[in-house]
Amino acid sequence: PEAKDYKRIGEGDTGLNTGGMGAISPVPFADATFMKKVEERIVRPTIEGLLHEKIDYRGFVFIGFFILIAIFAPVIAPPVKSDPYMMPRDGFSAEPKDMGAKWVKNVPKVPFWYKTITGKDEWVHIFGTAQGQYDIFYGIIWGTRTAFKTGLLVVLSTFLIGVIVGSVSAYYGGLVDNILMRIVDIFMTLPFILAALIMSAVLTPVLGRSILPAMIALISFGWMGYSRVIRGDILSVKERDYILAARVVGVKDGRILFKHILPNAIFPTLVLASLGIGDVVLSFAALSFLGVGTQVGFADWGQILSFARNWITSLGDYWYIVVWPGLTLILFVLGWNLVGDALRDVLDPRMRGKS
């Protein structure tokens, strides 16, 4: 019989069906869209695993807490300027103000929750001020949005680039694989944070001071790990019988790769991506600490920490300018690391309990 007499192999969940004589028999299936495949093979098993497996939910509690802060940032810390991401200043003095100090200039509107929790009618600097009189509490609250924006966008971009490069390299092999992997090797020899720092410094005069130069730099040098991981998994999956049968009956390469191979090889890369969000936020904070990227006064945890550089010898008196942004950054990264561990237990049970 000819290939057209058979349903395309590998599009159903049953793989290969063999008759009594060893011939390939027709495989009934309903033609599903790519998103439906993703839902059936990735989203639904992940949700069911999270609900039924015994996993550590502390990471989800931490991230859920930060999500609420990001959503309700205008209520928790009402904006003073037209750009809510610019921290308000209570003057221009270099010396930080203590926690609970009275707010004199550019006082934000007092929200409904303030008097109930603090017992005061006037707004004060809850966490004190940093050098230049930037309010630390406001910077931490609105910096949560900055952390989510940079972390998610950078990881999503690096994930897509890495998956595409690694998938094409593994599927076609040969010269294509050699060329792409040598490019990956070249990028991986570069020191990540130093390369990102140099690229951010080069892009800042061109694009202006914003989160964009640092994000582009982190994306440019952060995709290689995903490409290596997905390549290894696809090299294994593409040799399975249902993939070989799909090639025999003439299924197009793009259909085989993106509808049949990737949904069965993507899980370790997804776990790596969830763990990578915390790393990206740390790297972005490091670039901000070094003064690259965002303008002075932008609500970013790394920049708040940078305001403490001139007061390192006086941290016994001004400890709050390091402790509050530093603790926030630690909890945010810890939350994503715990989420990654939980997803690893669900998506890759063989690694459960290992670190």
Side-chain angles (χ1 to χ4, degrees), residues 286-326:
L287 294 177
S288 297
F289 182 85
L290 296 173
V292 177
T294 58
Q295 59 269 45
V296 178
F298 193 85
D300 171 55
W301 299 333
Q303 184 164 160
I304 299 175
L305 286 170
S306 71
F307 292 144
R309 285 180 297 186
N310 295 331
W311 303 93
I312 293 179
T313 57
S314 304
L315 289 182
D317 298 323
Y318 304 116
W319 56 270
Y320 47 85
I321 60 179
V322 171
V323 169
W324 296 123

Side-chain angles (χ1 to χ4, degrees), residues 138-333:
Y138 186 97
I140 289 176
I141 297 300
W142 283 90
T144 305
R145 289 193 172 189
T146 303
F148 275 113
K149 185 185 300 183
T150 56
L152 294 176
L153 288 178
V154 170
V155 168
L156 178 61
S157 301
T158 53
F159 177 81
L160 292 176
I161 296 172
V163 166
I164 292 173
V165 172
S167 300
V168 172
S169 175
Y171 185 77
Y172 289 102
L175 181 62
V176 174
D177 184 32
N178 284 331
I179 293 175
L180 291 178
M181 286 301 102
R182 297 300 76 75
I183 294 175
V184 170
D185 291 340
I186 292 172
F187 272 86
M188 294 190 75
T189 59
L190 302 174
F192 173 71
I193 196 65
L194 181 58
L197 175 63
I198 294 173
M199 189 172 186
S200 299
V202 171
L203 291 177
T204 298
V206 178
L207 301 177
R209 297 188 68 87
S210 65
I211 64 174
L212 197 56
M215 288 179 61
I216 293 176
L218 294 175
I219 292 171
S220 299
F221 299 102
W223 55 271
M224 296 82 69
Y226 300 117
S227 66
R228 296 294 292 268
V229 172
I230 194 67
R231 175 181 176 271
D233 292 322
I234 289 179
L235 286 175
S236 173
V237 173
K238 78 171 187 177
E239 300 300 330
R240 296 179 183 175
D241 291 341
Y242 71 91
I243 301 297
L244 299 177
R247 288 179 175 177
V248 169
V249 298
V251 181
K252 294 181 179 179
D253 290 342
R255 191 178 184 87
I256 295 176
L257 179 58
F258 292 104
K259 295 193 68 174
H260 308 315
I261 294 181
L262 272 181
N264 293 298
I266 199 71
F267 297 107
T269 313
L270 288 175
V271 174
L272 183 63
S274 65
L275 292 169
I277 296 178
D279 294 336
V280 168
V281 173
L282 275 178
S283 299
F284 187 86
L287 294 177
S288 297
F289 182 85
L290 296 173
V292 177
T294 58
Q295 59 269 45
V296 178
F298 193 85
D300 171 55
W301 299 333
Q303 184 164 160
I304 299 175
L305 286 170
S306 71
F307 292 144
R309 285 180 297 186
N310 295 331
W311 303 93
I312 293 179
T313 57
S314 304
L315 289 182
D317 298 323
Y318 304 116
W319 56 270
Y320 47 85
I321 60 179
V322 171
V323 169
W324 296 123
L327 181 63
T328 305
L329 185 61
I330 290 172
L331 292 178
F332 188 84
V333 175

